[in-house]
């Protein structure tokens, strides 16, 4: 074991049989534990031989606690010099020591090695300085530092996550604009010869204009702006306006449908890789923190303070937050003990209660989803009938968004009440409620899309276009309009809640000091709730970017404004949540929820690309049955060698061996992870045993000092310059020095 190697050592030149033992060190808990394990492992035949072999193996490690002392006794070889940064001295002395070490190293190097070393140091200095310059150019660096100083790293993680989404959406916009929008715009202005997507004329290719004719009232322009209809539908904002199939430049031909499909796959893969890359570090920290409850207590007590806090009220809040964390952990331990002591009858009762409550939750979710479905159907059927009432038209246009928002507002309140009766641990209550809220928000988008597709694919036989062309001449633009309305309405709700709810609530609490307002208190800056809002918006952006190519640009502007709205709300209207959120666990939780949103977004986009017939009246895929059909058609136009290569990659002869190799690689990494986990457990046990050894030695030291002060020589005034306790303690270590051939420490 790893702990054994830290406790045992031997002189290589001595035989194990002649190694005397030390009476004091025989009492170490680590040695006693090792003896017990040896007794268990050496039962049966060959016990002495295995014990001798184990003693020799562990004795040869010479990495124990007393190995350094014995190395000094038995050999004059100096120990390796420690790096200056690891020495317990101030920075000035560290720099002097580092310079001295550098000079000593340079004396033993050749001229070429010194030149290579100087070049490496210069390159390292250049990278550090470049990193510092890039940090100064980081978006919202000063604002985020201010938030970190006043409210700590928990709330900082939310704003860092918001900045990450701004950058992600901006990169998505650059990809879409550079590879899709810009070539189409260039072809329309004559810089490249654009070929139209339309090859034949039929009933399926008719696309009536949605622009309003004649005298148009001002409120109708507002409806068009908020719903994406009218003049806004015939812009580069929506899928239907990209009617170019190929753009002929001087030296090459640009395939717009293929670029459209590859860019969609590209930004989804880029989002996946970026999220996974950012979540790795948070996952490691979260795994270490959640591994051991005792370690969690130690971290909170000895390393729980956030030294970035400079505000006095935030410091008091952090103190209460740490107290809340400790109380929560103790309560969780109490509940775990209570769960372990439950009788069979109590377990049956609580399981039955949870079953009933979860059935009720499923009923609530079914009711919400049915309401979203009916609202979507009614809105789609009524939109064709225009009235002269501005408010009524706007409500009908936004009816699905309104129902989804109400569902997202009501269901978390119901979940908070239900979870109190399910008798879970406090930590699991938070996670389970959040996962329920995530499911409601993301599933509501899925129900909306299902409702739309049920209308799009519902056509009376015969169905020459493959979809309901009469109601949806360009169904992709209609889906894009729904995503656009969800994005705009979500932004309006966030801004309205901040201005019309949080700000008046603060004024009432500050200027009306009564029992009700004191109980109500200021609005809490609930990190999970705010994260779910922006993850919901980002999922809409991922889904809608295929049907509304410039939606990532709108999302970038939206999150840019939301950053300042949330910052002002945090500084002026809100107080931090009493429920603590660590930065490491927060980042991992945010990215895990975002990854769920990305997975949910890939499903409807993939179904619409591969299964649903593309519109024949608009967009770049009018010449293809489905959007995915452009890929095999492009492969068929390649040279024979490349065509054979892609056909081979897509065949079963390649897929089956590739799947087998991937499985073998996965099994290897699983086995490697298991081995690493066992090593980590051994190292953890070693740390525990070392702590017990230190405690044992400190107790012995205290007893020796106590005996020295109680001795007659000390009471008579003798031995003041050399107390007997020191001599006894020296005797202990002298015995250790003389026992250079011993086998344990």
């Amino acid at each position: 074991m790893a702990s054994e190697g830290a406790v045992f050592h031997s002189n290589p030149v001595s035989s194990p049989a002649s190694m005397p033992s030390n009476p004091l060190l025989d009492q170490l808990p680590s040695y006693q534990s090792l003896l017990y394990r040896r007794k268990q492992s050496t039962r049966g035949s060959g016990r002495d031989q295995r014990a001798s072999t184990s003693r020799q193996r562990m004795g040869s490690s010479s990495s124990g606690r007393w190995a350094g002392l014995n190395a000094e006794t038995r050999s004059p070889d100096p120990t390796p010099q420690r790096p200056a940064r690891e020495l317990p001295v101030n920075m000035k002395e560290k720099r002097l020591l580092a310079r001295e070490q550098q000079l000593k190293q340079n004396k033993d190097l050749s001229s070429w090695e010194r030149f290579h070393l100087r070049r490496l140091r210069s390159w390292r200095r250049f990278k550090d300085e470049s990193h510092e310059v890039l940090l100064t150019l980081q978006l919202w660096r000063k604002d985020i530092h201010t938030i970190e100083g006043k409210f700590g790293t928990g709330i900082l993680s939310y704003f860092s996550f918001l900045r990450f989404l701004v950058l992600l959406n901006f990169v998505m916009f650059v990809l879409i604009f550079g590879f899709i929008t810009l070539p189409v715009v260039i072809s329309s202005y004559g810089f490249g010869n654009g070929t139209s997507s339309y090859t034949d004329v039929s009933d399926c290719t008719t696309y009536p204009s949605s622009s309003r004719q004649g005298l148009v009232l001002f409120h109708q322009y507002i409806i068009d702006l908020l719903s994406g209809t009218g003049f806004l539908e015939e812009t580069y904002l929506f899928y239907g306006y990209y009617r170019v199939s190929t753009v002929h430049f001087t030296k090459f031909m640009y395939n717009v449908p293929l670029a459209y499909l590859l860019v969609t796959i590209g930004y989804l893969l880029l989002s996946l890789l970026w999220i996974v890359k950012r979540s790795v570090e948070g996952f490691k920290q979260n795994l270490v923190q959640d591994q051991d409850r005792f370690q969690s207590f130690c971290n909170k007590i000895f390393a729980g303070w956030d030294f970035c806090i400079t505000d006095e009220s935030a410091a008091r809040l952090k103190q209460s937050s740490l107290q809340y964390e400790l109380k929560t952990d103790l309560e969780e331990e109490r509940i775990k003990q209570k769960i372990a002591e439950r009788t069979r009858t109590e377990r049956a009762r609580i399981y039955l209660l949870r079953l009933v409550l979860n059935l009720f939750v499923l009923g609530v979710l079914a009711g919400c989803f049915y309401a979203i479905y009916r609202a979507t159907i009614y809105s789609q059927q009524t939109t064709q009938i225009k009235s002269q009432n501005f408010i009524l038209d706007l409500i009908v246009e936004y009816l699905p968004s309104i129902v989804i928002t109400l569902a997202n507002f009501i269901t978390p309140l119901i979940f908070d009440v239900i979870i109190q009766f399910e008798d879970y641990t406090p930590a699991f209550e938070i996670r389970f409620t959040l996962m329920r809220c995530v499911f409601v928000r993301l599933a509501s988008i899925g129900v909306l899309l299902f409702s739309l597709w049920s209308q799009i694919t519902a056509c009376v036989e015969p169905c020459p276009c493959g979809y309901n062309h009469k109601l949806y001449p360009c169904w992709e633009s209609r889906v894009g309009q729904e995503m656009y309305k969800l994005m705009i309405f979500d932004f309006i709700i966030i801004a309205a809640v901040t201005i019309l709810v949080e700000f008046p609530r603060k004024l009432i609490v500050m200027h009306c000091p009564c029992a009700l307002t004191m109980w109500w208190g200021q609005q809490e800056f609930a990190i999970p709730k705010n994260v779910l809002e922006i993850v919901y918006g980002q999922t809409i952006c991922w889904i809608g970017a295929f049907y509304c190519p410039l939606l990532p640009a709108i999302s970038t502007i939206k999150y840019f404004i939301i950053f300042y709205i949330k910052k002002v709300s945090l500084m002026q209207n809100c107080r931090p949540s009493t429920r603590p959120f660590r930065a490491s666990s927060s980042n991992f939780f945010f990215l895990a929820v975002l990854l769920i949103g990305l997975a949910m977004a890939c499903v409807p986009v993939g179904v619409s690309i591969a299964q649903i017939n593309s519109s024949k009246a608009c967009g770049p895929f009018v010449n293809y049955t489905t959007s995915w059909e452009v890929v095999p058609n492009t492969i068929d136009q390649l040279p024979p060698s490349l065509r054979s290569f892609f056909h081979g990659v897509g065949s079963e002869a390649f897929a089956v061996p590739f799947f087998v190799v991937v499985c073998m690689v996965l099994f290897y990494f699983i086995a490697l992870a298991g081995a690493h986990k066992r090593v980590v457990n051994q190292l953890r046990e070693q740390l525990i045993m070392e702590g017990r050894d230190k405690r044992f030695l400190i107790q012995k030291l205290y007893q020796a000092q106590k005996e020295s002060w109680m001795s007659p020589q000390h009471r008579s005034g003798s031995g003041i310059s050399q107390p007997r306790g020191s001599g006894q303690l020296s005797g202990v270590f002298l015995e250790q020095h003389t026992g250079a051939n011993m086998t344990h420490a």
Side-chain angles (χ1 to χ4, degrees):
M1 284 192 57
S3 61
E4 298 172 359
V7 178
F8 284 82
H9 77 278
S10 68
N11 192 343
V13 299
S14 303
S15 62
S18 62
M19 295 177 180
S21 62
N22 188 304
L24 172 64
L25 302 177
D26 282 345
Q27 305 174 32
L28 286 174
S30 58
Y31 181 63
Q32 296 295 328
S33 176
L34 180 59
L35 289 179
Y36 175 77
R37 292 177 183 177
R38 282 186 175 180
K39 290 178 182 178
Q40 297 295 325
S41 62
T42 56
R43 288 178 178 176
S45 62
R47 177 177 56 188
D48 297 334
Q49 182 179 359
R50 288 196 300 270
S52 177
T53 305
S54 175
R55 183 179 292 268
Q56 290 177 2
R57 182 179 69 251
M58 303 316 297
S60 62
S61 62
S62 67
S63 59
R65 179 179 296 104
W66 306 94
L69 266 167
N70 291 324
E72 294 177 1
T73 305
R74 62 177 180 261
S75 64
D77 296 334
T79 57
Q81 193 174 14
R82 296 171 61 187
R85 64 174 176 271
E86 297 180 2
L87 297 175
V89 294
N90 57 36
M91 186 59 66
K92 184 177 180 181
E93 294 179 0
K94 284 184 179 181
R95 288 172 179 169
L96 293 174
L97 292 172
R99 194 175 295 112
E100 292 177 0
Q101 292 177 3
Q102 183 178 345
L103 292 174
K104 290 179 181 179
Q105 291 175 0
N106 291 340
K107 289 179 181 179
D108 301 331
L109 299 177
S110 63
S111 57
W112 169 253
E113 290 174 338
R114 285 196 295 269
F115 169 74
H116 183 65
L117 187 61
R118 285 196 301 270
R119 188 178 63 178
L120 289 177
R121 288 170 182 165
S122 301
W123 173 248
R124 191 180 299 112
R125 192 180 302 111
F126 172 75
K127 286 199 302 184
D128 293 340
E129 292 175 356
S130 302
H131 181 67
E132 291 294 330
V133 172
L134 291 176
L135 284 179
T136 58
L137 301 176
Q138 200 173 28
L139 182 64
W140 297 321
R141 183 169 180 263
K142 186 176 180 181
D143 295 328
I144 287 181
H145 281 179
T146 303
I147 294 170
E148 181 183 16
K150 287 190 174 182
F151 300 100
T153 56
I155 293 179
L156 162 74
S157 60
Y158 165 77
F159 288 93
S160 299
F161 181 65
L162 191 57
R163 177 174 60 187
F164 163 68
L165 291 183
V166 170
L167 296 177
L168 177 62
N169 284 286
F170 180 74
V171 172
M172 289 170 55
F173 163 69
V174 170
L175 286 175
I176 294 174
F177 183 81
F179 290 99
I180 300 175
T181 308
L182 190 60
V184 176
V185 172
I186 287 175
S187 66
S188 63
Y189 283 95
F191 292 99
N193 296 322
T195 302
S196 176
S197 301
Y198 304 100
T199 57
D200 57 351
V201 178
S202 63
D203 293 338
C204 295
T205 60
T206 57
Y207 185 23
S209 175
S210 60
S211 299
R212 302 180 187 273
Q213 305 295 329
L215 181 62
V216 181
L217 299 178
F218 179 72
H219 75 268
Q220 293 176 333
Y221 283 113
I222 296 178
I223 292 177
D224 292 342
L225 183 65
L226 294 177
S227 60
T229 56
F231 74 94
L232 206 58
E233 185 176 350
E234 298 181 356
T235 61
Y236 292 105
L237 181 61
F238 292 104
Y239 168 94
Y241 202 70
Y242 294 83
R243 300 186 178 96
V244 178
S245 176
T246 56
V247 181
H248 299 273
F249 293 100
T250 305
K251 296 183 179 180
F252 65 96
M253 183 181 67
Y254 193 77
N255 191 339
V256 176
L258 182 63
Y260 203 104
L261 185 62
L262 293 181
V263 167
T264 302
I265 298 173
Y267 72 70
L268 291 175
L269 286 177
L270 174 67
S271 302
L272 174 64
L273 296 176
W274 205 343
I275 293 171
V276 170
K277 180 179 179 297
R278 285 179 62 93
S279 61
V280 167
E281 182 178 356
F283 175 74
K284 291 178 181 177
Q285 297 178 5
N286 194 50
L287 185 66
V288 171
Q289 289 180 358
D290 294 342
Q291 192 75 2
D292 187 8
R293 178 59 58 189
F294 179 74
Q295 184 182 11
S296 176
F297 284 126
C298 294
N299 287 338
K300 289 181 176 66
I301 294 172
F302 296 107
W305 186 254
D306 191 348
F307 289 93
C308 297
I309 296 176
T310 57
D311 188 69
E312 184 178 354
S313 60
R316 289 196 298 268
L317 186 65
K318 183 64 178 178
Q319 291 177 351
S320 62
S321 175
L322 288 174
Q323 292 177 0
Y324 173 81
E325 284 189 66
L326 292 172
K327 290 178 181 178
T328 303
D329 289 342
L330 293 173
E331 179 68 14
E332 190 166 349
E333 290 296 321
R334 186 190 66 80
I335 292 177
K336 286 181 179 179
Q337 185 178 1
K338 177 183 174 183
I339 292 173
E341 296 173 354
R342 280 176 183 164
T343 62
R344 185 175 299 177
T345 305
E346 291 175 343
R347 285 199 297 269
R349 183 187 61 81
I350 194 64
Y351 291 153
L352 180 61
L353 179 61
R354 289 175 183 175
L355 177 63
V356 173
L357 292 176
N358 280 282
L359 290 176
F360 177 74
V361 169
L362 291 177
V364 171
L365 294 178
C368 292
F369 295 156
Y370 181 74
I372 294 170
Y373 174 78
R374 296 305 307 171
T376 305
I377 300 299
Y378 178 80
S379 176
Q380 295 297 311
Q381 294 175 350
T382 313
T383 303
Q384 308 298 326
I385 306 172
K386 299 292 183 182
S387 67
Q388 299 299 321
N389 192 329
F390 164 68
I391 302 297
L392 184 60
D393 288 344
L394 197 61
I395 291 175
V396 170
E397 286 283 352
Y398 273 88
L399 187 59
S401 302
I402 293 172
V403 175
I404 289 174
T405 303
L406 288 175
N408 294 338
F409 175 75
I410 294 173
T411 50
L413 301 178
I414 299 175
F415 295 157
D416 287 338
V417 175
I418 289 175
I419 199 69
Q420 298 176 6
F421 298 96
E422 294 182 296
D423 199 11
Y424 293 117
T425 60
F428 186 77
E429 281 185 6
I430 297 174
R431 297 191 187 101
F432 195 42
T433 304
L434 290 176
M435 293 312 298
R436 281 174 172 172
C437 296
V438 169
F439 177 76
V440 171
R441 285 183 175 269
L442 300 184
S444 60
I445 304 175
V447 173
L448 172 64
L449 293 174
F450 173 78
S451 306
L452 287 173
W453 286 336
S454 66
Q455 294 292 303
I456 292 168
T457 57
C459 58
V460 182
E461 296 294 339
C463 192
C465 303
Y467 62 97
N468 192 349
H469 176 266
K470 183 179 179 180
L471 188 60
Y472 301 99
C474 183
W475 67 265
E476 290 92 347
S477 292
R478 182 61 66 86
V479 175
Q481 288 169 359
E482 293 299 327
M483 296 297 104
Y484 173 81
K485 286 187 286 188
L486 283 176
M487 180 76 71
I488 297 298
F489 192 73
D490 183 57
F491 173 73
I492 292 173
I493 290 297
I494 292 174
V497 167
T498 303
I499 298 172
L500 303 178
V501 176
E502 294 177 358
F503 183 67
R505 177 174 177 175
K506 181 199 174 183
L507 294 179
I508 293 173
V509 170
M510 287 182 62
H511 300 287
C512 299
C514 62
L516 180 62
T517 57
M518 294 298 292
W519 172 80
W520 194 22
Q522 275 186 277
Q523 175 73 32
E524 281 191 0
F525 192 86
I527 298 176
K529 172 180 171 294
N530 286 279
V531 168
L532 292 181
E533 289 178 353
I534 59 177
V535 169
Y536 168 74
Q538 185 60 38
T539 306
I540 294 172
C541 179
W542 277 323
I543 297 174
F546 181 78
Y547 314 101
C548 181
L550 298 185
L551 195 62
I554 299 174
S555 182
T556 303
I557 298 171
K558 170 191 168 183
Y559 287 140
F560 190 87
I561 299 173
I562 285 177
F563 179 88
Y564 289 101
I565 291 176
K566 292 297 181 180
K567 178 191 171 186
V568 172
S569 176
L570 176 65
M571 297 290 187
Q572 303 297 330
N573 301 334
C574 299
R575 59 183 175 87
S577 175
T578 54
R579 284 186 171 180
F581 252 70
R582 281 189 179 272
S584 57
S585 58
S586 300
N587 290 327
F588 176 69
F589 168 75
F590 300 163
L591 295 169
V593 174
L594 191 62
L595 200 60
I596 295 173
L598 177 61
M600 189 269 166
C602 291
V603 174
V605 174
V607 170
S608 63
I609 289 175
Q611 297 294 329
I612 303 178
N613 290 3
S614 57
S615 297
K616 304 300 181 184
C618 65
F621 299 101
V622 293
N623 297 325
Y624 304 97
T625 305
T626 60
S627 302
W628 181 255
E629 194 176 327
V630 67
V631 175
N633 286 357
T634 304
I635 292 175
D636 291 339
Q637 298 173 7
L638 294 174
S641 58
L642 286 177
R643 192 188 316 153
S644 301
F645 171 75
F646 282 109
H647 286 165
V649 170
S651 64
E652 295 179 357
F654 176 81
V656 173
F658 179 75
F659 178 74
V660 172
V661 171
V662 170
C663 290
M664 292 176 63
V665 172
L666 288 176
F667 288 147
Y668 167 74
F669 280 108
I670 290 172
L672 189 64
H676 288 168
K677 186 175 181 179
R678 287 192 295 270
V679 171
V680 168
N681 291 332
Q682 291 176 355
L683 293 175
R684 183 178 289 112
E685 291 178 3
Q686 176 182 343
L687 289 175
I688 293 173
M689 297 306 300
E690 287 183 356
R692 293 176 180 173
D693 288 348
K694 290 176 181 178
R695 182 178 180 182
F696 172 78
L697 292 174
I698 289 173
Q699 290 176 349
K700 289 295 182 180
L701 176 64
Y702 174 73
Q703 292 176 3
Q705 290 178 341
K706 186 177 180 180
E707 291 175 1
S708 68
W709 286 97
M710 297 297 294
S711 61
Q713 289 96 336
H714 186 272
R715 276 181 286 185
S716 62
S718 62
I720 296 178
S721 60
Q722 179 73 17
R724 185 176 177 182
S726 175
Q728 289 182 355
L729 188 61
S730 299
V732 171
F733 288 99
L734 284 173
E735 186 178 359
Q736 168 65 29
H737 283 291
T738 55
N741 298 331
M742 70 181 184
T743 59
H744 57 273

